[in-house]
Amino acid sequence: MNYVIALVLGAAFGFSLNKAGLTKYHRIANQFRFKDMMVMKYIMTALVVAMIGLYALHGLGLVTFPTVPATYLVGNVFGGLIFGIGMSLVGY
Amino acid sequence: MNWIIRQFKQETWSPYAAGALLGVTGILAVLLAHTVLGASGAFENLAGLIGKAIAPKTFDNMYFNFIMPPGITWGVILLVGVFFGGMIGAATSRTLKWGKPDAALDDAQWKRIFGPQPWKRWALGFLGAIILEYGAGIAGGCTSGLLISGGMLLVPAAYLFMVGMFASGIVVALIVYRSRY
């Protein structure tokens, strides 16, 4: 049952990525050139919608938050730096 | 009803509409499965699974034993869904390139910058993906697993990651595009 949920949610995830055009090289590359702000608009919209929904549900006591990625300053920034090289280069 | 079908056939949605869909998906992941969306972790689970089968000595370390235990996890199934979801998205707008002659490389901008040879796309894609996955391993997630899923729970790590990602991404774009930036 859990796997069915994963499959369906994954399909919704992939579908929305495709419809936003994030599966295309020029979209990602142009975000880093600031010629095309689609990626930023997409990520920020997703964040805002999910934040409102999750914190509202949390406030109503309907969900408990899962364990979240740990914060360790150097690792997060350094990992982000390496990640950005790959992302900007190949546009995935 | 016609309106819905028309929307499905559109190749590119407004980023706000597509982003809202992802936001709802993220909420449902927490609500139904008590976990967050993510992509890079699944590759590490799979790599661990293959690595343990081929070279158990090399993979017998902290990272693959405790931090990223190998196996067919929730994330791996999610990734399968992402693959087919992307295909459905492309198929509904009739832009699916499966079996087409330009399937390996159809991006006009890439051709202008790197040349029309598909092998370059494959080679750089492979190399870039290694760099990308390595960075994701250090940071504890990728754009989806850390930035979006962590960000929606207001985890500081997500925003630190975004700072790093953009800092180096802009520099690499500057190097690749030079005067055309």
mmCIF file with all atom_site columns, all heavy atoms in Angstrom, chain A residues 19 25 30 32-33 55 63-64 72 76 81 88 90, chain B residues 8 10 13 31 109 124 138-139 168-169 180-181:
data_model
loop_
_atom_site.group_PDB
_atom_site.id
_atom_site.type_symbol
_atom_site.label_atom_id
_atom_site.label_alt_id
_atom_site.label_comp_id
_atom_site.label_asym_id
_atom_site.label_entity_id
_atom_site.label_seq_id
_atom_site.pdbx_PDB_ins_code
_atom_site.Cartn_x
_atom_site.Cartn_y
_atom_site.Cartn_z
_atom_site.occupancy
_atom_site.B_iso_or_equiv
_atom_site.pdbx_formal_charge
_atom_site.auth_seq_id
_atom_site.auth_comp_id
_atom_site.auth_asym_id
_atom_site.auth_atom_id
_atom_site.pdbx_PDB_model_num
ATOM 1   N N   . LYS A 1 19  ? 5.725  19.496 -16.679 1.00 0.00 ? 19  LYS A N   1
ATOM 2   C CA  . LYS A 1 19  ? 4.868  20.595 -17.132 1.00 0.00 ? 19  LYS A CA  1
ATOM 3   C C   . LYS A 1 19  ? 5.481  21.956 -16.836 1.00 0.00 ? 19  LYS A C   1
ATOM 4   O O   . LYS A 1 19  ? 5.189  22.938 -17.510 1.00 0.00 ? 19  LYS A O   1
ATOM 5   C CB  . LYS A 1 19  ? 3.487  20.495 -16.477 1.00 0.00 ? 19  LYS A CB  1
ATOM 6   C CG  . LYS A 1 19  ? 2.630  19.365 -17.024 1.00 0.00 ? 19  LYS A CG  1
ATOM 7   C CD  . LYS A 1 19  ? 2.345  19.524 -18.494 1.00 0.00 ? 19  LYS A CD  1
ATOM 8   C CE  . LYS A 1 19  ? 1.395  18.454 -18.997 1.00 0.00 ? 19  LYS A CE  1
ATOM 9   N NZ  . LYS A 1 19  ? 1.380  18.361 -20.472 1.00 0.00 ? 19  LYS A NZ  1
ATOM 10  N N   . TYR A 1 25  ? 17.194 21.254 -20.453 1.00 0.00 ? 25  TYR A N   1
ATOM 11  C CA  . TYR A 1 25  ? 18.485 21.841 -20.090 1.00 0.00 ? 25  TYR A CA  1
ATOM 12  C C   . TYR A 1 25  ? 18.416 23.359 -20.022 1.00 0.00 ? 25  TYR A C   1
ATOM 13  O O   . TYR A 1 25  ? 18.891 23.967 -19.066 1.00 0.00 ? 25  TYR A O   1
ATOM 14  C CB  . TYR A 1 25  ? 19.549 21.417 -21.107 1.00 0.00 ? 25  TYR A CB  1
ATOM 15  C CG  . TYR A 1 25  ? 20.797 22.266 -21.035 1.00 0.00 ? 25  TYR A CG  1
ATOM 16  C CD1 . TYR A 1 25  ? 21.704 22.097 -19.998 1.00 0.00 ? 25  TYR A CD1 1
ATOM 17  C CD2 . TYR A 1 25  ? 21.047 23.265 -21.973 1.00 0.00 ? 25  TYR A CD2 1
ATOM 18  C CE1 . TYR A 1 25  ? 22.827 22.890 -19.906 1.00 0.00 ? 25  TYR A CE1 1
ATOM 19  C CE2 . TYR A 1 25  ? 22.166 24.059 -21.888 1.00 0.00 ? 25  TYR A CE2 1
ATOM 20  C CZ  . TYR A 1 25  ? 23.063 23.868 -20.858 1.00 0.00 ? 25  TYR A CZ  1
ATOM 21  O OH  . TYR A 1 25  ? 24.159 24.667 -20.758 1.00 0.00 ? 25  TYR A OH  1
ATOM 22  N N   . ASN A 1 30  ? 19.426 28.599 -17.831 1.00 0.00 ? 30  ASN A N   1
ATOM 23  C CA  . ASN A 1 30  ? 19.053 30.018 -17.874 1.00 0.00 ? 30  ASN A CA  1
ATOM 24  C C   . ASN A 1 30  ? 18.680 30.563 -16.508 1.00 0.00 ? 30  ASN A C   1
ATOM 25  O O   . ASN A 1 30  ? 18.735 31.774 -16.297 1.00 0.00 ? 30  ASN A O   1
ATOM 26  C CB  . ASN A 1 30  ? 17.902 30.235 -18.861 1.00 0.00 ? 30  ASN A CB  1
ATOM 27  C CG  . ASN A 1 30  ? 18.356 30.119 -20.296 1.00 0.00 ? 30  ASN A CG  1
ATOM 28  O OD1 . ASN A 1 30  ? 19.550 29.999 -20.552 1.00 0.00 ? 30  ASN A OD1 1
ATOM 29  N ND2 . ASN A 1 30  ? 17.439 30.134 -21.225 1.00 0.00 ? 30  ASN A ND2 1
ATOM 30  N N   . PHE A 1 32  ? 20.451 29.964 -13.905 1.00 0.00 ? 32  PHE A N   1
ATOM 31  C CA  . PHE A 1 32  ? 21.736 30.404 -13.353 1.00 0.00 ? 32  PHE A CA  1
ATOM 32  C C   . PHE A 1 32  ? 22.284 31.616 -14.098 1.00 0.00 ? 32  PHE A C   1
ATOM 33  O O   . PHE A 1 32  ? 23.208 32.261 -13.631 1.00 0.00 ? 32  PHE A O   1
ATOM 34  C CB  . PHE A 1 32  ? 22.739 29.251 -13.356 1.00 0.00 ? 32  PHE A CB  1
ATOM 35  C CG  . PHE A 1 32  ? 22.424 28.211 -12.319 1.00 0.00 ? 32  PHE A CG  1
ATOM 36  C CD1 . PHE A 1 32  ? 21.992 26.946 -12.681 1.00 0.00 ? 32  PHE A CD1 1
ATOM 37  C CD2 . PHE A 1 32  ? 22.534 28.508 -10.976 1.00 0.00 ? 32  PHE A CD2 1
ATOM 38  C CE1 . PHE A 1 32  ? 21.685 26.000 -11.728 1.00 0.00 ? 32  PHE A CE1 1
ATOM 39  C CE2 . PHE A 1 32  ? 22.230 27.560 -10.019 1.00 0.00 ? 32  PHE A CE2 1
ATOM 40  C CZ  . PHE A 1 32  ? 21.796 26.314 -10.396 1.00 0.00 ? 32  PHE A CZ  1
ATOM 41  N N   . ARG A 1 33  ? 21.727 31.904 -15.277 1.00 0.00 ? 33  ARG A N   1
ATOM 42  C CA  . ARG A 1 33  ? 22.093 33.142 -15.991 1.00 0.00 ? 33  ARG A CA  1
ATOM 43  C C   . ARG A 1 33  ? 21.078 34.244 -15.702 1.00 0.00 ? 33  ARG A C   1
ATOM 44  O O   . ARG A 1 33  ? 21.184 35.340 -16.242 1.00 0.00 ? 33  ARG A O   1
ATOM 45  C CB  . ARG A 1 33  ? 22.132 32.888 -17.500 1.00 0.00 ? 33  ARG A CB  1
ATOM 46  C CG  . ARG A 1 33  ? 23.165 31.877 -17.928 1.00 0.00 ? 33  ARG A CG  1
ATOM 47  C CD  . ARG A 1 33  ? 22.902 31.400 -19.344 1.00 0.00 ? 33  ARG A CD  1
ATOM 48  N NE  . ARG A 1 33  ? 23.232 32.429 -20.328 1.00 0.00 ? 33  ARG A NE  1
ATOM 49  C CZ  . ARG A 1 33  ? 22.642 32.541 -21.510 1.00 0.00 ? 33  ARG A CZ  1
ATOM 50  N NH1 . ARG A 1 33  ? 21.683 31.699 -21.861 1.00 0.00 ? 33  ARG A NH1 1
ATOM 51  N NH2 . ARG A 1 33  ? 23.003 33.482 -22.344 1.00 0.00 ? 33  ARG A NH2 1
ATOM 52  N N   . TYR A 1 55  ? 1.789  23.397 7.832   1.00 0.00 ? 55  TYR A N   1
ATOM 53  C CA  . TYR A 1 55  ? 1.707  24.021 9.154   1.00 0.00 ? 55  TYR A CA  1
ATOM 54  C C   . TYR A 1 55  ? 0.266  24.170 9.612   1.00 0.00 ? 55  TYR A C   1
ATOM 55  O O   . TYR A 1 55  ? -0.009 24.122 10.817  1.00 0.00 ? 55  TYR A O   1
ATOM 56  C CB  . TYR A 1 55  ? 2.489  25.339 9.185   1.00 0.00 ? 55  TYR A CB  1
ATOM 57  C CG  . TYR A 1 55  ? 3.944  25.083 9.445   1.00 0.00 ? 55  TYR A CG  1
ATOM 58  C CD1 . TYR A 1 55  ? 4.808  24.785 8.402   1.00 0.00 ? 55  TYR A CD1 1
ATOM 59  C CD2 . TYR A 1 55  ? 4.446  25.051 10.741  1.00 0.00 ? 55  TYR A CD2 1
ATOM 60  C CE1 . TYR A 1 55  ? 6.143  24.493 8.634   1.00 0.00 ? 55  TYR A CE1 1
ATOM 61  C CE2 . TYR A 1 55  ? 5.773  24.760 10.991  1.00 0.00 ? 55  TYR A CE2 1
ATOM 62  C CZ  . TYR A 1 55  ? 6.622  24.484 9.936   1.00 0.00 ? 55  TYR A CZ  1
ATOM 63  O OH  . TYR A 1 55  ? 7.932  24.180 10.179  1.00 0.00 ? 55  TYR A OH  1
ATOM 64  N N   . VAL A 1 63  ? -1.151 16.084 11.457  1.00 0.00 ? 63  VAL A N   1
ATOM 65  C CA  . VAL A 1 63  ? 0.093  15.432 11.036  1.00 0.00 ? 63  VAL A CA  1
ATOM 66  C C   . VAL A 1 63  ? 1.187  15.663 12.073  1.00 0.00 ? 63  VAL A C   1
ATOM 67  O O   . VAL A 1 63  ? 1.174  16.656 12.797  1.00 0.00 ? 63  VAL A O   1
ATOM 68  C CB  . VAL A 1 63  ? 0.617  15.957 9.670   1.00 0.00 ? 63  VAL A CB  1
ATOM 69  C CG1 . VAL A 1 63  ? -0.292 15.574 8.546   1.00 0.00 ? 63  VAL A CG1 1
ATOM 70  C CG2 . VAL A 1 63  ? 0.852  17.459 9.704   1.00 0.00 ? 63  VAL A CG2 1
ATOM 71  N N   . THR A 1 64  ? 2.119  14.707 12.113  1.00 0.00 ? 64  THR A N   1
ATOM 72  C CA  . THR A 1 64  ? 3.366  14.952 12.833  1.00 0.00 ? 64  THR A CA  1
ATOM 73  C C   . THR A 1 64  ? 4.450  15.007 11.779  1.00 0.00 ? 64  THR A C   1
ATOM 74  O O   . THR A 1 64  ? 4.403  14.257 10.803  1.00 0.00 ? 64  THR A O   1
ATOM 75  C CB  . THR A 1 64  ? 3.670  13.817 13.821  1.00 0.00 ? 64  THR A CB  1
ATOM 76  O OG1 . THR A 1 64  ? 3.513  12.568 13.120  1.00 0.00 ? 64  THR A OG1 1
ATOM 77  C CG2 . THR A 1 64  ? 2.739  13.856 15.002  1.00 0.00 ? 64  THR A CG2 1
ATOM 78  N N   . TYR A 1 72  ? 23.882 21.017 9.350   1.00 0.00 ? 72  TYR A N   1
ATOM 79  C CA  . TYR A 1 72  ? 25.269 21.223 9.770   1.00 0.00 ? 72  TYR A CA  1
ATOM 80  C C   . TYR A 1 72  ? 25.895 22.151 8.733   1.00 0.00 ? 72  TYR A C   1
ATOM 81  O O   . TYR A 1 72  ? 26.027 21.823 7.570   1.00 0.00 ? 72  TYR A O   1
ATOM 82  C CB  . TYR A 1 72  ? 26.036 19.921 9.948   1.00 0.00 ? 72  TYR A CB  1
ATOM 83  C CG  . TYR A 1 72  ? 25.904 18.901 8.871   1.00 0.00 ? 72  TYR A CG  1
ATOM 84  C CD1 . TYR A 1 72  ? 26.985 18.581 8.061   1.00 0.00 ? 72  TYR A CD1 1
ATOM 85  C CD2 . TYR A 1 72  ? 24.690 18.241 8.653   1.00 0.00 ? 72  TYR A CD2 1
ATOM 86  C CE1 . TYR A 1 72  ? 26.850 17.643 7.057   1.00 0.00 ? 72  TYR A CE1 1
ATOM 87  C CE2 . TYR A 1 72  ? 24.557 17.303 7.658   1.00 0.00 ? 72  TYR A CE2 1
ATOM 88  C CZ  . TYR A 1 72  ? 25.649 17.017 6.864   1.00 0.00 ? 72  TYR A CZ  1
ATOM 89  O OH  . TYR A 1 72  ? 25.513 16.087 5.885   1.00 0.00 ? 72  TYR A OH  1
ATOM 90  N N   . ASN A 1 76  ? 26.205 21.435 4.629   1.00 0.00 ? 76  ASN A N   1
ATOM 91  C CA  . ASN A 1 76  ? 25.123 21.895 3.750   1.00 0.00 ? 76  ASN A CA  1
ATOM 92  C C   . ASN A 1 76  ? 25.629 22.868 2.693   1.00 0.00 ? 76  ASN A C   1
ATOM 93  O O   . ASN A 1 76  ? 25.294 22.746 1.518   1.00 0.00 ? 76  ASN A O   1
ATOM 94  C CB  . ASN A 1 76  ? 24.020 22.558 4.564   1.00 0.00 ? 76  ASN A CB  1
ATOM 95  C CG  . ASN A 1 76  ? 23.303 21.592 5.475   1.00 0.00 ? 76  ASN A CG  1
ATOM 96  O OD1 . ASN A 1 76  ? 22.997 21.899 6.603   1.00 0.00 ? 76  ASN A OD1 1
ATOM 97  N ND2 . ASN A 1 76  ? 23.063 20.385 4.981   1.00 0.00 ? 76  ASN A ND2 1
ATOM 98  N N   . LEU A 1 81  ? 27.586 23.725 -2.799  1.00 0.00 ? 81  LEU A N   1
ATOM 99  C CA  . LEU A 1 81  ? 28.559 24.253 -3.768  1.00 0.00 ? 81  LEU A CA  1
ATOM 100 C C   . LEU A 1 81  ? 28.899 23.204 -4.823  1.00 0.00 ? 81  LEU A C   1
ATOM 101 O O   . LEU A 1 81  ? 28.915 23.491 -6.017  1.00 0.00 ? 81  LEU A O   1
ATOM 102 C CB  . LEU A 1 81  ? 29.837 24.701 -3.044  1.00 0.00 ? 81  LEU A CB  1
ATOM 103 C CG  . LEU A 1 81  ? 29.763 26.033 -2.295  1.00 0.00 ? 81  LEU A CG  1
ATOM 104 C CD1 . LEU A 1 81  ? 31.027 26.253 -1.477  1.00 0.00 ? 81  LEU A CD1 1
ATOM 105 C CD2 . LEU A 1 81  ? 29.574 27.192 -3.256  1.00 0.00 ? 81  LEU A CD2 1
ATOM 106 N N   . SER A 1 88  ? 24.455 23.194 -12.773 1.00 0.00 ? 88  SER A N   1
ATOM 107 C CA  . SER A 1 88  ? 24.611 24.239 -13.773 1.00 0.00 ? 88  SER A CA  1
ATOM 108 C C   . SER A 1 88  ? 25.235 23.690 -15.050 1.00 0.00 ? 88  SER A C   1
ATOM 109 O O   . SER A 1 88  ? 24.929 24.130 -16.147 1.00 0.00 ? 88  SER A O   1
ATOM 110 C CB  . SER A 1 88  ? 25.474 25.354 -13.201 1.00 0.00 ? 88  SER A CB  1
ATOM 111 O OG  . SER A 1 88  ? 25.609 26.399 -14.108 1.00 0.00 ? 88  SER A OG  1
ATOM 112 N N   . VAL A 1 90  ? 25.134 20.413 -16.348 1.00 0.00 ? 90  VAL A N   1
ATOM 113 C CA  . VAL A 1 90  ? 24.346 19.506 -17.172 1.00 0.00 ? 90  VAL A CA  1
ATOM 114 C C   . VAL A 1 90  ? 22.871 19.867 -17.204 1.00 0.00 ? 90  VAL A C   1
ATOM 115 O O   . VAL A 1 90  ? 22.149 19.427 -18.085 1.00 0.00 ? 90  VAL A O   1
ATOM 116 C CB  . VAL A 1 90  ? 24.493 18.037 -16.719 1.00 0.00 ? 90  VAL A CB  1
ATOM 117 C CG1 . VAL A 1 90  ? 25.880 17.563 -16.993 1.00 0.00 ? 90  VAL A CG1 1
ATOM 118 C CG2 . VAL A 1 90  ? 24.130 17.857 -15.282 1.00 0.00 ? 90  VAL A CG2 1
ATOM 119 N N   . PHE B 2 8   ? -4.149 19.785 -19.995 1.00 0.00 ? 8   PHE B N   1
ATOM 120 C CA  . PHE B 2 8   ? -3.264 18.627 -20.023 1.00 0.00 ? 8   PHE B CA  1
ATOM 121 C C   . PHE B 2 8   ? -2.410 18.611 -21.281 1.00 0.00 ? 8   PHE B C   1
ATOM 122 O O   . PHE B 2 8   ? -1.271 18.171 -21.267 1.00 0.00 ? 8   PHE B O   1
ATOM 123 C CB  . PHE B 2 8   ? -4.090 17.326 -19.948 1.00 0.00 ? 8   PHE B CB  1
ATOM 124 C CG  . PHE B 2 8   ? -4.171 16.782 -18.553 1.00 0.00 ? 8   PHE B CG  1
ATOM 125 C CD1 . PHE B 2 8   ? -5.116 17.248 -17.668 1.00 0.00 ? 8   PHE B CD1 1
ATOM 126 C CD2 . PHE B 2 8   ? -3.275 15.811 -18.129 1.00 0.00 ? 8   PHE B CD2 1
ATOM 127 C CE1 . PHE B 2 8   ? -5.176 16.756 -16.378 1.00 0.00 ? 8   PHE B CE1 1
ATOM 128 C CE2 . PHE B 2 8   ? -3.328 15.313 -16.842 1.00 0.00 ? 8   PHE B CE2 1
ATOM 129 C CZ  . PHE B 2 8   ? -4.288 15.795 -15.961 1.00 0.00 ? 8   PHE B CZ  1
ATOM 130 N N   . GLN B 2 10  ? -1.288 21.123 -22.908 1.00 0.00 ? 10  GLN B N   1
ATOM 131 C CA  . GLN B 2 10  ? -0.310 22.208 -22.983 1.00 0.00 ? 10  GLN B CA  1
ATOM 132 C C   . GLN B 2 10  ? 1.075  21.715 -22.595 1.00 0.00 ? 10  GLN B C   1
ATOM 133 O O   . GLN B 2 10  ? 1.215  20.959 -21.640 1.00 0.00 ? 10  GLN B O   1
ATOM 134 C CB  . GLN B 2 10  ? -0.727 23.324 -22.028 1.00 0.00 ? 10  GLN B CB  1
ATOM 135 C CG  . GLN B 2 10  ? -0.952 24.625 -22.730 1.00 0.00 ? 10  GLN B CG  1
ATOM 136 C CD  . GLN B 2 10  ? -1.598 25.628 -21.813 1.00 0.00 ? 10  GLN B CD  1
ATOM 137 O OE1 . GLN B 2 10  ? -1.172 25.775 -20.686 1.00 0.00 ? 10  GLN B OE1 1
ATOM 138 N NE2 . GLN B 2 10  ? -2.628 26.282 -22.305 1.00 0.00 ? 10  GLN B NE2 1
ATOM 139 N N   . TRP B 2 13  ? 3.161  24.622 -18.360 1.00 0.00 ? 13  TRP B N   1
ATOM 140 C CA  . TRP B 2 13  ? 2.200  25.282 -17.498 1.00 0.00 ? 13  TRP B CA  1
ATOM 141 C C   . TRP B 2 13  ? 2.822  26.534 -16.910 1.00 0.00 ? 13  TRP B C   1
ATOM 142 O O   . TRP B 2 13  ? 4.037  26.728 -16.963 1.00 0.00 ? 13  TRP B O   1
ATOM 143 C CB  . TRP B 2 13  ? 1.790  24.364 -16.353 1.00 0.00 ? 13  TRP B CB  1
ATOM 144 C CG  . TRP B 2 13  ? 0.863  23.267 -16.742 1.00 0.00 ? 13  TRP B CG  1
ATOM 145 C CD1 . TRP B 2 13  ? 0.445  22.961 -18.010 1.00 0.00 ? 13  TRP B CD1 1
ATOM 146 C CD2 . TRP B 2 13  ? 0.249  22.313 -15.863 1.00 0.00 ? 13  TRP B CD2 1
ATOM 147 N NE1 . TRP B 2 13  ? -0.389 21.875 -17.961 1.00 0.00 ? 13  TRP B NE1 1
ATOM 148 C CE2 . TRP B 2 13  ? -0.526 21.463 -16.668 1.00 0.00 ? 13  TRP B CE2 1
ATOM 149 C CE3 . TRP B 2 13  ? 0.288  22.111 -14.489 1.00 0.00 ? 13  TRP B CE3 1
ATOM 150 C CZ2 . TRP B 2 13  ? -1.267 20.419 -16.131 1.00 0.00 ? 13  TRP B CZ2 1
ATOM 151 C CZ3 . TRP B 2 13  ? -0.443 21.072 -13.956 1.00 0.00 ? 13  TRP B CZ3 1
ATOM 152 C CH2 . TRP B 2 13  ? -1.217 20.237 -14.767 1.00 0.00 ? 13  TRP B CH2 1
ATOM 153 N N   . LEU B 2 31  ? 1.435  13.537 4.792   1.00 0.00 ? 31  LEU B N   1
ATOM 154 C CA  . LEU B 2 31  ? 0.152  13.126 5.382   1.00 0.00 ? 31  LEU B CA  1
ATOM 155 C C   . LEU B 2 31  ? -0.058 11.614 5.259   1.00 0.00 ? 31  LEU B C   1
ATOM 156 O O   . LEU B 2 31  ? -0.430 10.947 6.226   1.00 0.00 ? 31  LEU B O   1
ATOM 157 C CB  . LEU B 2 31  ? -0.978 13.884 4.680   1.00 0.00 ? 31  LEU B CB  1
ATOM 158 C CG  . LEU B 2 31  ? -2.339 13.876 5.345   1.00 0.00 ? 31  LEU B CG  1
ATOM 159 C CD1 . LEU B 2 31  ? -2.286 14.579 6.681   1.00 0.00 ? 31  LEU B CD1 1
ATOM 160 C CD2 . LEU B 2 31  ? -3.364 14.560 4.448   1.00 0.00 ? 31  LEU B CD2 1
ATOM 161 N N   . GLN B 2 109 ? 19.655 25.240 -27.209 1.00 0.00 ? 109 GLN B N   1
ATOM 162 C CA  . GLN B 2 109 ? 20.665 26.028 -26.502 1.00 0.00 ? 109 GLN B CA  1
ATOM 163 C C   . GLN B 2 109 ? 21.920 25.205 -26.209 1.00 0.00 ? 109 GLN B C   1
ATOM 164 O O   . GLN B 2 109 ? 23.032 25.700 -26.339 1.00 0.00 ? 109 GLN B O   1
ATOM 165 C CB  . GLN B 2 109 ? 20.074 26.554 -25.198 1.00 0.00 ? 109 GLN B CB  1
ATOM 166 C CG  . GLN B 2 109 ? 20.984 27.540 -24.503 1.00 0.00 ? 109 GLN B CG  1
ATOM 167 C CD  . GLN B 2 109 ? 20.299 28.194 -23.320 1.00 0.00 ? 109 GLN B CD  1
ATOM 168 O OE1 . GLN B 2 109 ? 19.110 28.443 -23.338 1.00 0.00 ? 109 GLN B OE1 1
ATOM 169 N NE2 . GLN B 2 109 ? 21.057 28.467 -22.282 1.00 0.00 ? 109 GLN B NE2 1
ATOM 170 N N   . LEU B 2 124 ? 29.046 14.562 -20.631 1.00 0.00 ? 124 LEU B N   1
ATOM 171 C CA  . LEU B 2 124 ? 28.917 15.622 -19.640 1.00 0.00 ? 124 LEU B CA  1
ATOM 172 C C   . LEU B 2 124 ? 27.802 15.314 -18.652 1.00 0.00 ? 124 LEU B C   1
ATOM 173 O O   . LEU B 2 124 ? 27.914 15.623 -17.475 1.00 0.00 ? 124 LEU B O   1
ATOM 174 C CB  . LEU B 2 124 ? 28.636 16.960 -20.336 1.00 0.00 ? 124 LEU B CB  1
ATOM 175 C CG  . LEU B 2 124 ? 29.845 17.870 -20.544 1.00 0.00 ? 124 LEU B CG  1
ATOM 176 C CD1 . LEU B 2 124 ? 29.425 19.130 -21.272 1.00 0.00 ? 124 LEU B CD1 1
ATOM 177 C CD2 . LEU B 2 124 ? 30.492 18.234 -19.216 1.00 0.00 ? 124 LEU B CD2 1
ATOM 178 N N   . ILE B 2 138 ? 26.908 14.852 0.418   1.00 0.00 ? 138 ILE B N   1
ATOM 179 C CA  . ILE B 2 138 ? 27.515 15.640 1.500   1.00 0.00 ? 138 ILE B CA  1
ATOM 180 C C   . ILE B 2 138 ? 26.459 16.511 2.179   1.00 0.00 ? 138 ILE B C   1
ATOM 181 O O   . ILE B 2 138 ? 26.372 16.583 3.402   1.00 0.00 ? 138 ILE B O   1
ATOM 182 C CB  . ILE B 2 138 ? 28.659 16.513 0.949   1.00 0.00 ? 138 ILE B CB  1
ATOM 183 C CG1 . ILE B 2 138 ? 29.801 15.641 0.450   1.00 0.00 ? 138 ILE B CG1 1
ATOM 184 C CG2 . ILE B 2 138 ? 29.160 17.471 2.027   1.00 0.00 ? 138 ILE B CG2 1
ATOM 185 C CD1 . ILE B 2 138 ? 30.887 16.406 -0.250  1.00 0.00 ? 138 ILE B CD1 1
ATOM 186 N N   . ALA B 2 139 ? 25.638 17.149 1.363   1.00 0.00 ? 139 ALA B N   1
ATOM 187 C CA  . ALA B 2 139 ? 24.681 18.110 1.919   1.00 0.00 ? 139 ALA B CA  1
ATOM 188 C C   . ALA B 2 139 ? 23.532 17.418 2.643   1.00 0.00 ? 139 ALA B C   1
ATOM 189 O O   . ALA B 2 139 ? 22.906 17.999 3.517   1.00 0.00 ? 139 ALA B O   1
ATOM 190 C CB  . ALA B 2 139 ? 24.140 18.997 0.813   1.00 0.00 ? 139 ALA B CB  1
ATOM 191 N N   . SER B 2 168 ? 27.777 28.459 -6.618  1.00 0.00 ? 168 SER B N   1
ATOM 192 C CA  . SER B 2 168 ? 28.637 27.767 -7.570  1.00 0.00 ? 168 SER B CA  1
ATOM 193 C C   . SER B 2 168 ? 27.957 27.640 -8.932  1.00 0.00 ? 168 SER B C   1
ATOM 194 O O   . SER B 2 168 ? 28.636 27.652 -9.959  1.00 0.00 ? 168 SER B O   1
ATOM 195 C CB  . SER B 2 168 ? 29.015 26.387 -7.042  1.00 0.00 ? 168 SER B CB  1
ATOM 196 O OG  . SER B 2 168 ? 27.871 25.584 -6.946  1.00 0.00 ? 168 SER B OG  1
ATOM 197 N N   . GLY B 2 169 ? 26.631 27.543 -8.954  1.00 0.00 ? 169 GLY B N   1
ATOM 198 C CA  . GLY B 2 169 ? 25.915 27.434 -10.224 1.00 0.00 ? 169 GLY B CA  1
ATOM 199 C C   . GLY B 2 169 ? 26.130 28.650 -11.096 1.00 0.00 ? 169 GLY B C   1
ATOM 200 O O   . GLY B 2 169 ? 26.349 28.537 -12.307 1.00 0.00 ? 169 GLY B O   1
ATOM 201 N N   . ARG B 2 180 ? 28.687 35.318 -23.502 1.00 0.00 ? 180 ARG B N   1
ATOM 202 C CA  . ARG B 2 180 ? 27.259 35.193 -23.809 1.00 0.00 ? 180 ARG B CA  1
ATOM 203 C C   . ARG B 2 180 ? 26.388 35.186 -22.567 1.00 0.00 ? 180 ARG B C   1
ATOM 204 O O   . ARG B 2 180 ? 25.181 35.072 -22.652 1.00 0.00 ? 180 ARG B O   1
ATOM 205 C CB  . ARG B 2 180 ? 27.025 33.896 -24.600 1.00 0.00 ? 180 ARG B CB  1
ATOM 206 C CG  . ARG B 2 180 ? 27.513 33.982 -26.023 1.00 0.00 ? 180 ARG B CG  1
ATOM 207 C CD  . ARG B 2 180 ? 27.659 32.623 -26.642 1.00 0.00 ? 180 ARG B CD  1
ATOM 208 N NE  . ARG B 2 180 ? 28.717 31.858 -25.991 1.00 0.00 ? 180 ARG B NE  1
ATOM 209 C CZ  . ARG B 2 180 ? 29.187 30.716 -26.467 1.00 0.00 ? 180 ARG B CZ  1
ATOM 210 N NH1 . ARG B 2 180 ? 28.697 30.194 -27.566 1.00 0.00 ? 180 ARG B NH1 1
ATOM 211 N NH2 . ARG B 2 180 ? 30.154 30.069 -25.844 1.00 0.00 ? 180 ARG B NH2 1
ATOM 212 N N   . TYR B 2 181 ? 27.037 35.252 -21.397 1.00 0.00 ? 181 TYR B N   1
ATOM 213 C CA  . TYR B 2 181 ? 26.247 35.287 -20.146 1.00 0.00 ? 181 TYR B CA  1
ATOM 214 C C   . TYR B 2 181 ? 25.376 36.514 -20.155 1.00 0.00 ? 181 TYR B C   1
ATOM 215 O O   . TYR B 2 181 ? 24.310 36.589 -19.818 1.00 0.00 ? 181 TYR B O   1
ATOM 216 C CB  . TYR B 2 181 ? 27.198 35.331 -18.934 1.00 0.00 ? 181 TYR B CB  1
ATOM 217 C CG  . TYR B 2 181 ? 26.513 35.191 -17.603 1.00 0.00 ? 181 TYR B CG  1
ATOM 218 C CD1 . TYR B 2 181 ? 26.258 33.931 -17.065 1.00 0.00 ? 181 TYR B CD1 1
ATOM 219 C CD2 . TYR B 2 181 ? 26.103 36.290 -16.884 1.00 0.00 ? 181 TYR B CD2 1
ATOM 220 C CE1 . TYR B 2 181 ? 25.626 33.794 -15.843 1.00 0.00 ? 181 TYR B CE1 1
ATOM 221 C CE2 . TYR B 2 181 ? 25.467 36.174 -15.660 1.00 0.00 ? 181 TYR B CE2 1
ATOM 222 C CZ  . TYR B 2 181 ? 25.237 34.913 -15.156 1.00 0.00 ? 181 TYR B CZ  1
ATOM 223 O OH  . TYR B 2 181 ? 24.603 34.761 -13.934 1.00 0.00 ? 181 TYR B OH  1
#
